[in-house]
Amino acid sequence: MTAPDAEPASEPEPEPASPVAPEPSEPAGPAPADRELSVRERAVLALERRSWAGPGAKERAIREELGISPVRYFQLLNALIEDERALREDPVTVNRLRRLREARRDRR
């Protein structure tokens, strides 16, 4: 039997968890040069390599094949144009897109 003035045995308090920030799904800044392109990034480049029969065909393919809106597609594509990894992966497509962008800028 325990003495009446003794404190009841308590369980030890758990140690506080170390603060660990969750890893972001996509980096906020430029991607490291040693990281490879993601499957989605490669799919965007592959879709951009193709030629299109008429208006609306490309937008339909973006929605059906990639499952994203055309607006999001072009956001991803514009980021890829600046990405050196994309240039190494598909220099012909990336250089063509860079030339088209420059020509549009020059017309403005």
Side-chain angles (χ1 to χ4, degrees), residues 32-86:
D34 59 345
R35 198 190 93 194
E36 291 186 17
L37 291 177
S38 70
V39 172
R40 176 181 268 183
E41 291 167 330
R42 283 191 174 103
V44 167
L45 286 174
L47 199 120
E48 195 58 33
R49 271 193 301 268
R50 294 167 35 190
S51 59
W52 302 100
K58 183 175 185 177
E59 287 78 10
R60 193 169 32 260
I62 291 167
R63 290 184 189 281
E64 292 174 0
E65 295 176 23
L66 300 178
I68 58 176
S69 72
V71 171
R72 181 66 182 139
Y73 170 83
F74 286 108
Q75 289 171 340
L76 293 169
L77 182 61
N78 283 325
L80 278 173
I81 291 172
E82 297 301 320
D83 195 329
E84 292 301 314
R85 297 170 306 134

